[in-house]
């Protein structure tokens, strides 16, 4: 559809061998549509929905989607330009015996009330809508939820309230913790998503999408007044504003199929992985392929993904057991091998967590500030530390590529930041799982007065030296990313922390002392990559990132200073990789 991400030869891998397509619900109905059916919420506000149902007097299970994008826009072309189209192919499910209900969240589209970006009242609206749907004469009383991205946030949040008639959810590419997954990555504010996305994709369409040229004005002049970027700026810590908007996974009692995308490490992936790990209900996990924004939309709308979701809905909403729950629980796309593989659990039980140590030795592989090396053992010789200053002279702000450089129209992510690169792999090696970077570092802060620093990290699969051309940027595939702001690095939530994933409370920021060496454990989001012989793994570390590479980039602030990263003795910094295969 958009990229090679939806190559049929790749997509067929999401379906297990002997997939029982002939045993699933078959197309046999035409569709009846009821527009702007209003449902009264418990506080009296009326929300609008469109109901798509089979042309039959039978009763059917229902699929419920709730959106802030306006239900009236869900029939725009399914292309990345219109990423707000996140409901999949409605008539496809209706033809197979499902009622499909699409609702405008309060304060959006045709609904009354005020939008509060997943406020408690909106979450209760989800509950009330599900229960209303279940009691309609065309419904069997069984309701599932459907939708991608923002529509998946709603699924995580609705399910924690345990509506009695909600039977299952499939959060596709959806975060479960808006503070950590969306707004503040490691405590560092995301710029692109809370500001650009919300203002362009949500607020602007309420008014700029309707104008004299189209012959229609928005009759609700105050619609869209909720200012997400302003709320983010005024809620920097994980306070009650954010706690309300984090799904309590332990409260979810319905079966969940969590489906994520490896390339969404800057947004949703963390929610899909953490959600699966913490669920105590029947569950499955799939993580799909993709390279760039829009690939997730393409995968979501493939015939193969629809068949997979139909099988899940048939199982939990129609009692059509085709053996799905007897099959492996996890399906992962393995980058580098470019194929899907079924596994029993995530993290993979055979994972060998292996340290690679940062060093002052030269890798000879990257034209960066330091060209450091990653070693399988702590270095025995070489500089004991590396110091770099920020901002670097060519870093730009929101209007440019950030810490990356653009030369002759090409993006160089690594020239003015720190890098640490392995030697070429001598054996084919698979990395698949959650990753942690442990840094020993000290800082000298020249400005501002509040003493803090931050670390923004990227991991790359760097292609063999023979494939590189000195006239062009290094050929490599971005694997995953991680971030941490120093002021939040001292207080962990022990219940949610795992050996492979630090989980910080982000409630009480603390200054650091200049010159003091601190140990920072940085969560780098899970990934999969099969490193072929001759490939290298490259770690990038800086005080700043790039809006060209990091889903819109992060707030740099007014930071002027120096960070020193240490390699020797008691302060050997290291990257912990989940090794799942080494070819003998």
């Amino acid at each position: 559809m958009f990229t090679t991400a939806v190559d049929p030869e790749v997509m067929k891998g999401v379906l297990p061998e002997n997939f029982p397509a002939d045993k699933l619900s078959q197309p046999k109905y035409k569709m009846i549509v009821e527009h702007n059916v209003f449902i009264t919420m418990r506080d009296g506000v009326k929300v609008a929905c469109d109901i798509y149902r089979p042309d039959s007097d039978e009763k059917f299970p229902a699929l419920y989607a709730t959106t802030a994008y306006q239900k009236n826009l869900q029939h725009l072309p399914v292309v990345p330009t219109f990423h707000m189209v996140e409901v999949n192919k409605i008539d496809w499910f209706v033809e197979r015996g499902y009622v499909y209900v699409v609702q405008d969240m309060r304060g959006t589209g045709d609904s009354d009330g005020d939008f509060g970006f997943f406020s408690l009242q909106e979450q209760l609206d989800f509950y009330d809508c599900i229960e209303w749907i279940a009691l309609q004469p065309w419904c069997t009383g069984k309701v599932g939820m459907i939708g991608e991205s923002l529509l998946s946030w709603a699924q995580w949040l609705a399910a924690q309230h345990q509506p009695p008639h909600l039977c299952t959810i499939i959060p596709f590419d959806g975060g479960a913790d808006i503070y950590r997954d969306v707004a503040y990555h490691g405590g560092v504010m995301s710029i692109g998503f809370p500001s650009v996305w919300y203002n362009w994709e949500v607020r602007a369409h309420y008014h700029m999408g309707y104008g004299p040229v189209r012959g229609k004005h928005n009759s609700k002049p105050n619609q869209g007044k909720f200012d997400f970027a302003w709320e983010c700026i005024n809620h920097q810590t994980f306070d009650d504003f954010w706690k309300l908007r984090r799904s309590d996974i332990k409260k979810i009692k319905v079966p969940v199929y969590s489906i994520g995308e490896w390339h969404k490490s800057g947004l949703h992936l963390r929610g899909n992985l953490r959600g699966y790990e913490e669920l105590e209900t029947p569950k499955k996990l799939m993580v799909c392929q993709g390279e760039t924004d829009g690939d997730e939309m393409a995968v979501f709308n493939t015939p193969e993904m629809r068949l997979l979701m139909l099988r899940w809905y048939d199982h939990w909403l129609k009692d059509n057991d085709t053996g799905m729950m007897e099959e492996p629980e996890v399906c992962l796309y393995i980058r580098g091998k470019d194929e899907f593989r079924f596994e029993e659990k995530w993290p993979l039980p055979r994972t060998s967590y292996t340290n690679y140590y940062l060093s002052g030795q030269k890798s000879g592989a990257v034209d960066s500030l330091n060209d450091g090396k990653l070693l399988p053992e702590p270095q025995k010789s070489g500089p004991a530390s590396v110091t770099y200053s920020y901002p670097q002279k060519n870093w730009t702000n929101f209007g440019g590529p950030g810490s990356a450089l653009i030369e002759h129209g090409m993006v160089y992510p690594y020239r003015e930041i720190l890098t640490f690169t392995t030697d070429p792999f001598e054996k084919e090696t698979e990395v698949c799982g959650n990753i942690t970077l442990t840094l020993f570092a000290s800082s000298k802060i020249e400005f501002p007065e509040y003493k803090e620093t931050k670390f923004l990290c990227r991991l790359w699969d760097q292609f063999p030296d023979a494939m590189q051309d000195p006239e062009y940027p290094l050929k490599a595939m971005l694997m995953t990313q991680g971030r941490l702001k120093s002021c939040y690095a001292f207080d962990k939530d022990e219940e949610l922390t795992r050996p492979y994933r630090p989980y910080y409370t982000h409630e009480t920021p603390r200054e650091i002392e200049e010159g003091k060496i601190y140990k920072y454990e940085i969560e780098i989001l899970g990934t999969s990559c099969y490193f072929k012989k001759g490939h290298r793994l490259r770690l990038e570390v800086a005080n700043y990132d790039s809006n060209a590479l990091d889903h819109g980039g992060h707030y740099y602030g007014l930071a002027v200073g120096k960070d020193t990263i240490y390699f020797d003795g008691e302060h050997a910094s290291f990257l912990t990789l989940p090794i799942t295969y080494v070819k003998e």
Side-chain angles (χ1 to χ4, degrees):
M1 184 181 293
F2 313 136
T3 69
T4 55
V6 293
D7 182 335
E9 286 301 307
V10 173
M11 283 307 304
K12 69 181 184 182
V14 305
L15 304 178
E17 190 176 354
N18 300 317
F19 184 82
D22 59 326
K23 294 182 172 61
L24 304 182
S25 296
Q26 300 299 311
K28 58 184 291 191
Y29 301 98
K30 294 182 180 180
M31 187 166 69
I32 299 172
V33 184
E34 298 176 72
H35 291 293
N36 272 3
V37 176
F38 284 88
I39 308 173
T40 302
M41 301 293 96
R42 64 185 67 186
D43 66 346
V45 166
K46 296 181 183 296
V47 299
C49 64
D50 291 343
I51 301 172
Y52 305 82
R53 56 188 178 87
D55 63 339
S56 170
D57 292 333
E58 301 172 65
K59 291 189 175 186
F60 302 94
L63 302 178
Y64 166 57
T66 179
T67 179
Y69 288 131
Q70 302 178 78
K71 60 182 176 55
N72 296 335
L73 301 182
Q74 297 307 304
H75 297 291
L76 286 168
V78 183
V79 295
T81 306
F82 301 131
H83 207 309
M84 77 292 295
V85 182
E86 296 182 341
V87 298
N88 212 287
K89 193 171 174 58
I90 292 173
D91 57 348
W92 192 90
F93 289 97
V94 175
E95 290 168 355
R96 287 160 175 78
Y98 287 89
V99 178
Y100 201 123
V101 181
V102 186
Q103 174 234 333
D104 282 331
M105 293 183 190
R106 66 167 55 208
T108 74
D110 292 315
S111 291
D112 297 332
D114 295 319
F115 180 59
F117 206 90
F118 296 102
S119 66
L120 176 59
Q121 189 58 62
E122 286 162 31
Q123 295 178 40
L124 297 176
D125 290 348
F126 307 156
Y127 182 111
D128 291 350
C129 285
I130 289 166
E131 293 307 295
W132 181 90
I133 291 168
L135 297 177
Q136 298 312 296
W138 35 256
C139 186
T140 61
K142 291 188 175 183
V143 182
M145 293 189 73
I146 189 170
E148 178 203 352
S149 192
L150 181 144
L151 282 67
S152 287
W153 298 348
Q155 295 185 52
W156 289 117
L157 291 168
Q160 70 171 350
H161 290 282
Q162 302 175 16
H165 290 92
L166 180 64
C167 296
T168 188
I169 62 172
I170 303 182
F172 185 102
D173 185 36
D177 178 340
I178 295 177
Y179 179 87
R180 293 170 177 81
D181 302 346
V182 179
Y184 281 90
H185 299 137
V188 186
M189 182 182 172
S190 170
I191 291 292
F193 210 73
S195 55
V196 177
W197 162 80
Y198 179 68
N199 286 311
W200 287 6
E201 293 281 298
V202 183
R203 300 175 89 183
H205 292 327
Y206 296 150
H207 300 282
M208 298 180 72
Y210 295 95
V213 175
R214 293 185 57 182
K216 182 179 180 180
H217 291 276
N218 191 325
S219 61
K220 301 174 180 178
N222 290 326
Q223 195 171 70
K225 66 181 180 181
F226 181 88
D227 192 332
F228 186 35
W230 180 250
E231 295 295 339
C232 289
I233 291 169
N234 283 277
H235 295 278
Q236 297 179 34
T237 62
F238 187 61
D239 59 14
D240 289 343
F241 178 86
W242 298 112
K243 290 175 183 176
L244 177 68
R245 291 163 173 83
R246 178 183 68 175
S247 177
D248 188 341
I249 303 297
K250 297 295 186 184
K251 290 183 178 178
I252 295 176
K253 303 301 181 184
V254 298
V256 178
Y257 203 153
S258 179
I259 305 178
E261 296 269 343
W262 290 127
H263 71 289
K264 297 300 284 293
S265 58
L267 187 56
H268 292 312
L269 177 62
R270 190 175 179 280
N272 285 115
L273 295 179
R274 183 182 70 86
Y276 168 82
E277 291 172 10
E278 294 179 20
L279 283 165
E280 297 175 349
T281 62
K283 60 183 179 178
K284 281 184 177 288
L285 172 70
M286 174 176 286
V287 189
C288 302
Q289 73 281 23
E291 296 181 20
T292 187
D293 185 48
D295 283 358
E296 64 285 348
M297 191 179 186
V299 172
F300 182 57
N301 285 279
T302 56
E304 294 83 1
M305 191 56 64
R306 273 194 285 275
L307 281 171
L308 193 74
M309 293 192 296
L310 178 66
R311 190 184 185 195
W312 182 265
Y313 290 131
D314 270 8
H315 185 99
W316 297 108
L317 300 178
K318 291 188 176 181
D319 298 321
N320 180 16
D321 187 352
T322 59
M324 189 175 194
M325 299 311 292
E326 282 72 56
E327 294 169 356
E329 203 168 275
V330 174
C331 182
L332 306 173
Y333 182 78
I334 308 301
R335 291 184 292 187
K337 298 192 80 172
D338 302 327
E339 63 185 28
F340 282 90
R341 187 176 68 217
F342 290 90
E343 297 283 352
E344 294 299 328
K345 295 287 182 183
W346 168 277
L348 278 57
R350 63 180 178 278
T351 301
S352 174
Y353 291 99
T354 305
N355 292 340
Y356 274 73
Y357 293 85
L358 284 64
S359 81
Q361 299 178 22
K362 301 293 184 182
S363 75
V366 188
D367 178 19
S368 67
L369 290 180
N370 65 321
D371 183 30
K373 184 180 281 192
L374 281 174
L375 300 172
E377 297 178 351
Q379 69 172 27
K380 295 182 173 61
S381 62
S385 64
V386 62
T387 300
Y388 80 105
S389 302
Y390 45 84
Q392 288 287 307
K393 63 180 180 180
N394 291 312
W395 287 4
T396 59
N397 212 313
F398 70 92
S403 60
L405 302 184
I406 293 182
E407 297 180 5
H408 308 295
M410 296 177 288
V411 178
Y412 291 81
Y414 42 80
R415 288 239 171 120
E416 290 195 347
I417 62 176
L418 300 181
T419 65
F420 302 89
T421 312
T422 65
D423 284 332
F425 282 97
E426 297 181 355
K427 298 180 180 181
E428 295 180 3
T429 302
E430 182 180 281
V431 173
C432 189
N434 300 294
I435 299 168
T436 304
L437 173 63
T438 302
L439 286 183
F440 290 93
S442 64
S443 302
K444 178 176 175 56
I445 312 299
E446 297 177 26
F447 190 84
E449 294 181 359
Y450 187 84
K451 306 304 181 185
E452 66 178 12
T453 189
K454 53 187 178 294
F455 303 98
L456 297 107
C457 317
R458 292 189 292 260
L459 286 184
W460 298 78
D461 171 7
Q462 183 168 312
F463 297 173
D465 297 351
M467 294 179 63
Q468 307 298 341
D469 186 326
E471 300 297 321
Y472 294 92
L474 290 167
K475 295 180 180 178
M477 178 187 69
L478 179 59
M479 294 165 54
T480 187
Q481 302 166 79
R483 304 98 175 166
L484 182 62
K485 201 172 186 179
S486 64
C487 61
Y488 298 117
F490 307 102
D491 297 306
K492 291 181 182 177
D493 184 321
E494 297 301 333
E495 181 181 353
L496 295 176
T497 291
R498 302 286 185 271
Y500 48 77
R501 184 188 66 228
Y503 192 101
Y504 295 101
T505 63
H506 293 285
E507 293 181 4
T508 309
R510 282 197 261 167
E511 287 189 87
I512 55 176
E513 297 178 28
E514 284 200 356
K516 181 177 179 178
I517 299 176
Y518 291 92
K519 179 182 179 181
Y520 298 103
E521 294 178 89
I522 303 169
E523 175 191 23
I524 296 182
L525 296 189
T527 192
S528 82
C529 189
Y530 190 91
F531 289 89
K532 297 176 183 176
K533 186 177 179 180
H535 285 234
R536 301 173 184 256
L537 183 147
R538 183 173 84 235
L539 166 68
E540 298 176 348
V541 181
N543 188 268
Y544 191 31
D545 63 3
S546 168
N547 57 14
L549 298 164
D550 295 274
H551 216 89
H554 293 77
Y555 178 65
Y556 177 72
L558 304 172
V560 179
K562 297 179 180 179
D563 286 347
T564 299
I565 296 176
Y566 297 87
F567 311 132
D568 278 351
E570 297 180 2
H571 305 120
S573 299
F574 57 91
L575 179 70
T576 303
L577 294 174
I579 305 294
T580 50
Y581 173 78
V582 178
K583 186 174 183 179
E584 295 299 328

